[in-house]
Structure formats: C-alpha cells, structure tokens
Amino acid sequence: MQSSFTDCEQYNGGHAQPELIIVEFLDENNRPVGENEAGEVTITSLGVEGMPLLRFKTGDVCYHYNEPCECGRNTMRLSSVIGRKGQMIKYKGTTLYPPALFDILDGIHDVRNYVVEVFTNELGTDDIKVRIGATRTDDAFAKEIKDIFRSKVRVAPAISFESPEYITKLQFPEMSRKPVKFFDLR
C-alpha cells in the first residue's frame, strides 16, 4: 500500500495511484464519508495476483481531497493519518484521536511529560484523564491547559498533575523500549 500514495512538492497530501489501488473512506457503518469527514481507509489492490486485497480495512483514519492539486495532478489525495480506528475516543459528542491530544500537549512549554488515559465512566461513556508532569502545577496553569484543549479540539479532559519522575515510570512500563503515552482502559 505504501507505494500507492506519493507526495508531491506541494505537500498537500499523498496522491493516489488509481492504476494500483482503489481507495474508499468509510464510516463506522461502511458508508462513504464526505471530503470534510474523517473515514477509515479501505483499499482494493489492482494487479496483485498472489494475495489480492478486496475492500481491506487498514484501520487508519484519514481525510481525502478531490480538488486538483497545485502541482497539476487531478487524482484523489490522502491526508496524513489522524488516528487508528481502534484508538478513536468519543468524548462529549466529539471524536478524538490520541495524536491530536499529543500535539496539543507537546506544544505547551511547561509540560515536561504526560500520559493520556481513556476509560469508561459510570455512565458507560468514554472519559479522558491527562496525567501531566510539569514545572508548574497551579490551578491557573490547569485552566490554561484546558482552555488550549477547548480552542483546539472543543473539549477539555480532566487534568492531573503528577511528578515528572512518576510520569516517566508510567511511560516506560516493564519490557517496553519505547515510551507509552496512551493507555486505553476501556
């Protein structure tokens, strides 16, 4: 699938190669989504004889663009991956993906490290708690973080300040070589 999308000098998304692959963007009910809606990338490979893929659901959620690109190509373009379908969070009427939360937290100066926990609350809906190791831990900073979340993703998760050392222990569980920033407890 990797060679089926190529970026151009305009960096406006990966151009589909229609002679190699048929690409669909589907919602949770397997219906096509519009251009301004995120959908799961579903592919059908063309010309593959050994193991053809027919409507293969990749699990990647992306946007697509059909208008011509500034480079002159007219093929459909694929955005960067905004999340994995299994990691989708429905929080207070908004669909979120962990990378969107990470981007916000990575851009806040006084945040040293963090983990995002998603769990099912007593009402049976998704809830989010962000544990932050920061140089500031006052209420004004918590309000500032929540305001940034509201401005970027329209909702604000619960914030909990912890020591940066404790967050580091959470990020590196036993047998993990890479930091874990997302814990799905649902």
Side-chain angles (χ1 to χ4, degrees):
M1 188 176 96
Q2 185 90 23
S3 62
S4 301
F5 302 98
T6 55
D7 223 344
C8 67
E9 63 276 1
Q10 300 299 319
Y11 302 106
N12 287 329
H15 290 277
Q17 305 295 319
E19 63 277 359
L20 298 176
I21 195 167
I22 297 170
V23 186
E24 299 173 89
F25 298 87
L26 305 177
D27 65 11
E28 293 145 5
N29 299 317
N30 293 324
R31 289 187 299 247
V33 298
E35 236 181 287
N36 294 325
E37 298 176 64
E40 183 177 8
V41 179
T42 305
I43 61 167
T44 298
S45 57
L46 302 173
V48 176
E49 295 178 11
M51 187 174 170
L53 300 174
L54 301 174
R55 296 195 88 194
F56 175 75
K57 293 183 172 226
T58 63
D60 294 332
V61 178
C62 299
Y63 291 100
H64 68 285
Y65 314 105
N66 291 318
E67 74 273 357
C69 182
E70 294 173 13
C71 73
R73 294 184 188 152
N74 294 321
T75 57
M76 183 274 305
R77 290 173 288 127
L78 175 79
S79 74
S80 58
V81 176
I82 59 172
R84 299 280 301 157
K85 184 164 179 162
Q87 292 181 336
M88 182 176 70
I89 306 163
K90 289 190 177 181
Y91 184 62
K92 297 183 180 178
T94 301
T95 300
L96 300 172
Y97 294 94
L101 304 175
F102 301 160
D103 289 346
I104 293 168
L105 291 162
D106 289 338
I108 300 173
H109 178 68
D110 290 323
V111 173
R112 289 191 40 204
N113 53 10
Y114 58 87
V115 293
V116 176
E117 296 176 345
V118 178
F119 57 94
T120 304
N121 62 23
E122 58 276 353
L123 299 174
T125 61
D126 290 348
D127 215 343
I128 304 171
K129 182 176 188 176
V130 180
R131 295 177 182 265
I132 298 175
T135 54
R136 289 176 52 198
T137 60
D138 55 276
D139 290 341
F141 186 49
K143 182 185 179 319
E144 184 180 318
I145 292 171
K146 287 186 174 208
D147 289 345
I148 292 169
F149 271 106
R150 282 187 197 99
S151 70
K152 304 262 185 184
V153 293
R154 298 186 309 266
V155 292
I159 303 290
S160 169
F161 291 115
E162 314 280 348
S163 73
E165 296 79 21
Y166 177 70
I167 299 297
T168 300
K169 285 181 184 177
L170 291 176
Q171 285 183 331
F172 290 95
E174 215 174 293
M175 303 299 293
S176 176
R177 293 183 286 162
K178 293 174 22 179
V180 178
K181 297 180 185 179
F182 180 67
F183 292 93
D184 194 340
L185 308 172
R186 296 177 281 185

